Amino acid sequence: MGVHVPAQCAPCDATAPETSRYHARPGVQISGASVKYHHWGGLSLERIAKLTPKPKGNERFSSIEVVHAGGPVAERLLAAPRIDASCPVRVYELPETRCEPAAEFKAIFELEEAMMLQRASRQSLIVWVGRPDRPELDGFAGFLGMLPFRGVHVALVSPSAEAHPDPFRYSTPSGVIEHDATDPARMGKCAIAALFGPLPSRTFTSKLGRWNPICIQPAAGEPMTRLPFKIAGLPLPLITYTGDYDSGVEELAARVAGAYPAGRLLPIVSCGETVDRLGYAFDVLQALARRGHRGYYFTHRSGETHKHWAEYCRPELLGVVARAKAAGRTVLFLAVGGGCNGNATGMVAAMTNSHFIEVRASHVAPRPGLHMAGTTSLFVEPREPHTAPDVAAGVASGARAGWASTWLFSLVLLPPRSLSFVRALSHLHHFFSIPAFPSHLPLL
């Protein structure tokens, strides 16, 4: 298969001067991945390590981390004598997950935690050993290479004699946790570096899909300004909204509603307890509901202390995702508040192959070009501090002198790019900045 990545995304660049240096350089910087399937004759850990591509800048792996779910292949592979004893080998067993999304989510992170405690690194090789009677478990392999190392190589040993495994599209047995490396948002990255099995050897090459962001071209007179921005040569509309807060939330909801067919979207609005008390996330949820997209409201504890996978491994949350997927609806996570919430919610969105929008807020002096959690944020000049009546639950009326909020809506349509521990493949489509404070809430 060939590689096809459209250099432009219509209509994002429809009005752009193609002769400018900005649109001519550097060009698209991503391409499809290539993965080789090896017939497993004489299978051993040494042969797997020899045929699997090495980490960049290294000639050998620092360790081999073997993950399996039992079965004859794992038993035979682990019982085989080792020739090279200089590379440590550690073994982990996947627990039974019973096709439950929360159990699958938990199993992935607990395995990763165990590897980290054993000092596995990006120079390690993760070997997933499948079993012939349960080929659906092979979908776990790719996720083990995405979290949390972001770049560690995975060798997938699949005993299936019916068909070659797909190194680019896979999911866990529940179908809730899934990945598609052919989406340009994944930046052409593929965690699975090599395949082994009983079928004839062959090479797989991914064909990347079309880059298709939510594009906004502000018309004359609209309170929005578009700034030039690209990621890996792909255009990313950057929009600064200059109107008031209420209008900005409505504008965001209108843009989102216009990007999805009626009745086909399930928005999940996620926020920490602080933003929940302030009411910002609920404003977004209600604005979307008024446009026919009723959603699910998810809250969690705030702060770095609670930026842990267990905080988001909620059966009710993943159950909502499962039911939406079963009904053929697009799941859209909206992380209101940025920071830890944006990091972790973006990770959940990426792991579930969902779409993602981040809504950022800042109560501090603006710092243009600030780099936060892997994305670029544009801060506009703050307005004068003010007071407002208290209508938010638990929030005292009045306001202290300080900076008014600057809201940044990062419209990110996942399936995201390469998965990392704090942010799974964020598919940035545009920034939407609103420099006004909500009229019905006090400034803290």
Side-chain angles (χ1 to χ4, degrees):
M1 292 183 288
V3 176
H4 171 65
V5 183
Q8 307 296 340
C9 70
C12 285
D13 286 353
T15 60
E18 299 300 328
T19 57
S20 69
R21 292 179 61 191
Y22 170 76
H23 291 287
R25 301 179 184 178
V28 177
Q29 300 295 299
I30 63 174
S31 60
S34 181
V35 180
K36 187 170 182 179
Y37 179 100
H38 303 272
H39 179 73
W40 66 3
L43 186 67
S44 67
L45 290 177
E46 278 80 11
R47 185 166 187 267
I48 293 173
K50 179 181 179 181
L51 295 178
T52 302
K54 306 303 180 290
K56 188 175 182 179
N58 293 269
E59 296 181 353
R60 67 193 304 272
F61 295 105
S62 61
S63 69
I64 299 177
E65 315 293 326
V66 180
V67 184
H68 68 93
V73 178
E75 293 177 2
R76 185 171 74 250
L77 187 64
L78 295 175
R82 300 227 21 244
I83 300 174
D84 180 10
S86 64
C87 182
V89 175
R90 294 178 281 259
V91 181
Y92 315 83
E93 185 169 358
L94 177 77
E96 181 59 56
T97 59
R98 302 173 301 280
C99 203
E100 296 177 1
E104 295 172 346
F105 193 97
K106 178 182 179 181
I108 290 170
F109 279 95
E110 287 187 337
L111 286 169
E112 293 295 344
E113 286 181 347
M115 290 185 202
M116 293 179 70
L117 290 173
Q118 294 295 326
R119 303 197 177 201
S121 68
R122 293 185 183 180
Q123 285 71 51
S124 299
L125 169 64
I126 297 178
V127 179
W128 165 264
V129 185
R131 47 188 299 169
D133 58 332
R134 300 186 67 183
E136 70 277 7
L137 296 178
D138 290 348
F140 281 99
F143 292 100
L144 297 174
M146 297 175 187
L147 298 164
F149 305 110
R150 192 183 180 187
V152 68
H153 288 190
V154 175
L156 167 58
V157 180
S158 174
S160 175
E162 296 182 1
H164 290 85
D166 189 336
F168 309 122
R169 298 183 183 91
Y170 44 84
S171 68
T172 55
S174 71
V176 172
I177 301 176
E178 62 174 324
H179 176 78
D180 182 2
T182 66
D183 191 293
R186 304 280 180 172
M187 294 288 131
K189 303 298 183 181
C190 180
I192 298 176
L195 302 164
F196 296 86
L199 299 175
S201 298
R202 59 167 294 186
T203 298
F204 294 86
T205 303
S206 64
K207 181 179 180 180
L208 299 185
R210 183 175 180 79
W211 176 257
N212 187 31
I214 294 179
C215 295
I216 298 178
Q217 291 288 357
E222 286 189 308
M224 291 182 284
T225 301
R226 175 173 173 168
L227 302 177
F229 191 77
K230 290 188 178 184
I231 292 181
L234 299 176
L236 171 64
L238 222 73
I239 306 297
T240 298
Y241 189 84
T242 57
D244 62 87
Y245 167 84
D246 294 321
S247 298
V249 172
E250 294 300 325
E251 184 69 31
L252 169 66
R255 296 287 180 173
V256 172
Y260 297 91
R264 306 306 297 171
L265 175 69
L266 176 71
I268 298 177
V269 178
S270 171
C271 67
E273 56 195 353
T274 303
V275 172
D276 175 42
R277 285 168 58 95
L278 291 170
Y280 301 159
F282 197 66
D283 287 345
V284 175
L285 183 74
Q286 288 185 312
L288 288 168
R290 287 192 291 271
R291 286 166 176 76
H293 296 299
R294 297 180 62 84
Y296 179 77
Y297 195 66
F298 175 75
T299 61
H300 55 83
R301 290 176 292 179
S302 300
E304 294 287 343
T305 302
H306 303 296
K307 193 165 72 173
H308 186 269
W309 62 264
E311 192 71 21
Y312 302 83
C313 183
R314 308 273 187 86
E316 60 272 22
L317 172 62
L318 296 174
V320 167
V321 176
R323 290 189 293 273
K325 288 189 173 187
R329 301 172 70 184
T330 298
V331 178
L332 169 65
F333 280 89
L334 297 100
V336 181
C340 299
N341 178 51
N343 295 162
T345 303
M347 178 199 67
V348 177
M351 290 184 67
T352 57
N353 213 31
S354 301
H355 292 190
F356 178 55
I357 295 174
E358 186 174 79
V359 184
R360 294 191 174 186
S362 174
H363 292 275
V364 299
R367 289 175 285 167
L370 180 66
H371 188 75
M372 297 176 63
T375 61
T376 302
S377 302
L378 177 69
F379 287 82
V380 299
E381 287 300 318
R383 300 195 175 183
E384 292 299 318
H386 62 279
T387 60
D390 169 38
V391 294
V395 180
S397 61
R400 294 192 291 270
W403 296 99
S405 289
T406 296
W407 286 77
L408 294 131
F409 296 88
S410 303
L411 268 66
V412 182
L413 285 187
L414 295 177
R417 22 217 167 281
S418 54
L419 188 61
S420 68
F421 182 63
V422 297
R423 171 83 53 119
L425 350 322
S426 307
H427 185 131
L428 293 179
H429 283 65
H430 79 269
F431 289 122
F432 200 85
S433 167
I434 302 177
F437 198 79
S439 61
H440 63 285
L441 291 176
L443 176 67
L444 298 181

